[in-house]
Amino acid sequence: MNAPFALEDTPAGQVISTRFTVPGLRCAGCIATIERELPKVEGITAARVNFSAKRVAIEHDPTLDEAALGEALRQIGYEAQAIADNPLGSDERERKLLTRAVAVAGFGMMNIMLLSVSIWAGAEGATRELFHWLSGLIAIPVIAYSGRPFFASAWMALRFRRTNMDVPISIGVLLATGLSIYETVAGGGHAYFESAVMLLFFLLIGRALDAEMRTRTRAGIGALLGRMGKSASVIGADGSTERLPADQLEPGMLVLVAAGEALAADGTIEEGASALDNAMLTGESTPEPVGVGSAVHAGAINLAAPIRVRLTRVAGDTAIDEIARLMDEAGQSRSTYVRIADRASRLYAPAVHTLAALAFVGWMIAGAGWHQSLVIAIAVLIITCPCALGLAVPAAQVVASGALLKRGLLVKDGSALERLAECDIALFDKTGTLTLGEPRPDLAALDAETRSVALGLAQNSRHPLSKGLSAALRAEGVEPAHVEQVEEVSGKGLTGRWHGLDVALDRPEATSAKLATRLRIGKDSHTLLFTDPLRSDASDAIEALADAGIAASILSGDRAEAVDAVARKLGIPAQSAAKPQDKLAELIKLREGGKRPLMVGDGLNDGPALAAAHASIAPGTASDASQQAADAVFIGEKLMPVALAIRVARRTMRIVRQNFAFAVGYNVLAVPLALFGYVTPLIAAIAMSVSSILVVANSLRLARSTR
């Protein structure tokens, strides 16, 4: 996927796109820098950043190779890696560094605060000087180690003549530390080691939580890539086979796919008949019969007999690769929240620098002296630290996400709740979303004894019908009979012995139903019909969404008859036979029309739509790719968590707005006090910390929002 590919032909020449993994992306300012600076390089027309995936897509002239593009990124301060070398954009070193830095800062803060309490209680003379020295001995190595993430980021920004939010933070911490060292050496009355360490501790917690959320988001991509076949048995002209890695396969090769093996590329069956598990592609576990001429896709699992497949599309060009590329591009277009933060960060650093400089110069002119002027300037830098503002959103998101998790809904992205709260229309896939996606039998014809025998047989097989039968019987509280000599024959079914009788679960001889099996006990037989039932609370969930002002409809790739039947039961409109491109086009059309659609789907074919929707939710039984593309995943057989997510998300945003109002009010009151010299660096650090605690306490009210 790192290989360049043509985007369009123009009179001036061809424009191609190349993608890189950039693990050094840390904030919204990085997005703005890359997207603003790269197009200034001759030959580069545009650059787009996917912050969640930590990828940069560069559109450029074909004369620029990967080395030149990597050097262009390095010149603006970012290391570029080939996607094949680091497909997940992971930076394990940074995550470990943040974790250790939080621990070191917390340890240092607790010890320094103990010493500071004694000084605040009135310690004087030699005792105060001793405690200042002890505080300094603890604080200096703590600041040097824990401050590295901020110092390194600030240095890189200044090195390339730009600024970011870490610059004023680093200046404030270093000035407070330097002044404290001076006061300690000179035997002065005030040192501000606790202010600097406390500031670092709270900032590091926020940064560590953000890094953890993004790591969890990227983990789904690994699950998608891990399900594809890694190699294939290529059949030579003499009939011999050779095992080749997936990246060495070429179109036109003939490969042998054994039973139980995952396909490594797309192709067409030339010999043999079997059944495929396309759950990874469609989210449905029902086996799909295939034969000569059938198109098959990478990631599908061959369930029954060996087949020979002529490859048509290989690594980098398969259906899954195409869907992954669509998801990546859709992810680039959904960063409105990040771009708002970018604009705020661009204003924040210059404003803070200006305020601190004005405070220093103003008090110097007023005759306060360099020491007092510097103390006031430091207090301004610390008190304007946007911790409360920075926590206003993530604190509420973390509490709300935890509450939803207890009700069976996992929110994957930190900003997903914001988008969920804004949704005004919902589109549902049918199979596996409104329905369970697993075949369930009609058990009415079975008595207690036959049910027990059926479970005794079915529990020995991983066939989807056997799994559905087992699940239904276990849900009824049935205990399995002791069936002996159980054997499973591919394509025929299960056989065994029970109380001296031959028993079997096999294919019925004649039935019009597409999904059915026959239970034989001696000479008696029962045909069990399977259906894909609606989730038990589907109607209630649709009604709850309607009460919230969200109209629901079905957008499914299934045939019209099946979709219309479900739509009539739920009383909502439906569109059937929709391809992935159709679903993506519908989502784009709704967004261009001013709507903010919520997409709920499970198949890999829903991936682009899930990624392009304003917000998206997938069931826990969805394909790995769909779970990765969705903002949230609900677990279990109930659909109500979808409606619950909307309700909790809207309450979360009310809390966020309250937090924002408090944070802005805090700065409106605190900054003038610091500018006029009424606040010391210690009081500034305490005020900043108290404002953060109040924001967190307000956010904790969301813990009861799901009751």
Side-chain angles (χ1 to χ4, degrees), residues 671-702:
V671 172
L673 292 175
L675 283 172
F676 288 105
Y678 294 107
V679 177
T680 66
L682 175 60
I683 294 176
I686 293 174
M688 185 277 293
S689 301
V690 169
S691 69
S692 302
I693 292 170
L694 289 177
V695 166
V696 172
N698 189 43
S699 302
L700 286 174
R701 296 194 296 138
L702 286 167

Side-chain angles (χ1 to χ4, degrees), residues 381-705:
L381 282 172
I382 293 177
I383 212 164
T384 52
C385 175
C387 280
L389 201 60
L391 285 171
V393 177
Q397 288 173 344
V398 168
V399 176
S401 298
L404 284 172
L405 183 60
K406 293 177 181 177
R407 296 293 300 272
L409 189 134
L410 171 64
V411 178
K412 296 167 48 189
D413 188 286
S415 61
L417 289 169
E418 180 186 2
R419 295 194 299 276
L420 283 168
E422 296 171 343
C423 289
D424 51 16
I425 187 171
L427 293 91
F428 288 84
D429 181 41
K430 183 186 76 66
T431 305
T433 304
L434 290 172
T435 69
L436 289 175
E438 295 179 358
R440 295 296 170 90
D442 181 0
L443 301 172
L446 302 184
D447 58 23
E449 188 173 65
T450 53
R451 291 185 181 197
S452 178
V453 173
L455 181 55
L457 281 166
Q459 66 181 2
N460 295 287
S461 172
R462 301 303 299 167
H463 191 282
L465 295 187
S466 296
K467 290 166 64 178
L469 179 57
S470 297
L473 290 169
R474 288 197 173 95
E476 296 284 335
V478 175
E479 292 294 330
H482 181 63
V483 180
E484 300 175 322
Q485 303 175 21
V486 177
E487 293 184 5
E488 183 173 16
V489 179
S490 179
K492 293 184 178 180
L494 292 154
T495 60
R497 296 282 293 176
W498 175 73
H499 290 179
L501 297 174
D502 290 327
V503 295
L505 277 173
D506 55 17
R507 182 179 302 174
E509 293 179 352
T511 176
S512 59
K514 293 186 176 180
L515 293 176
T517 188
R518 180 179 62 179
L519 171 65
R520 287 192 295 108
I521 303 177
K523 295 181 180 179
D524 298 329
S525 66
H526 307 272
T527 298
L528 302 177
L529 303 180
F530 286 75
T531 57
D532 183 11
L534 278 175
R535 294 179 186 268
S536 59
D537 62 345
S539 295
D540 295 336
I542 297 296
E543 186 176 344
L545 286 172
D547 292 342
I550 296 179
S553 62
I554 301 175
L555 181 61
S556 173
D558 287 0
R559 64 188 192 284
E561 312 87 76
V563 174
D564 291 344
V566 172
R568 283 193 296 273
K569 286 183 181 178
L570 297 176
I572 57 178
Q575 178 182 341
S576 57
K579 297 177 181 177
Q581 294 83 349
D582 299 331
K583 294 183 178 183
L584 181 59
E586 180 64 20
L587 266 296
I588 293 173
K589 177 183 173 184
L590 286 171
R591 296 189 68 163
E592 290 177 347
K595 291 292 186 180
R596 293 177 172 176
L598 165 68
M599 180 70 200
V600 187
D602 70 319
L604 185 57
N605 56 342
D606 295 319
L610 290 168
H614 190 67
S616 53
I617 301 176
T621 54
S623 65
D624 292 335
S626 296
Q627 292 189 39
Q628 188 277 328
D631 295 307
V633 175
F634 66 92
I635 303 165
E637 296 186 354
K638 301 291 186 181
L639 192 62
M640 191 55 77
V642 174
L644 181 65
I646 297 294
R647 179 162 63 85
V648 172
R650 290 180 174 178
R651 186 172 180 190
T652 301
M653 293 318 298
R654 285 198 294 272
I655 294 290
V656 165
R657 286 190 286 271
Q658 293 170 6
N659 289 346
F660 265 123
F662 172 79
V664 171
Y666 154 78
N667 278 284
V668 168
L669 291 175
V671 172
L673 292 175
L675 283 172
F676 288 105
Y678 294 107
V679 177
T680 66
L682 175 60
I683 294 176
I686 293 174
M688 185 277 293
S689 301
V690 169
S691 69
S692 302
I693 292 170
L694 289 177
V695 166
V696 172
N698 189 43
S699 302
L700 286 174
R701 296 194 296 138
L702 286 167
R704 301 191 298 271
S705 60

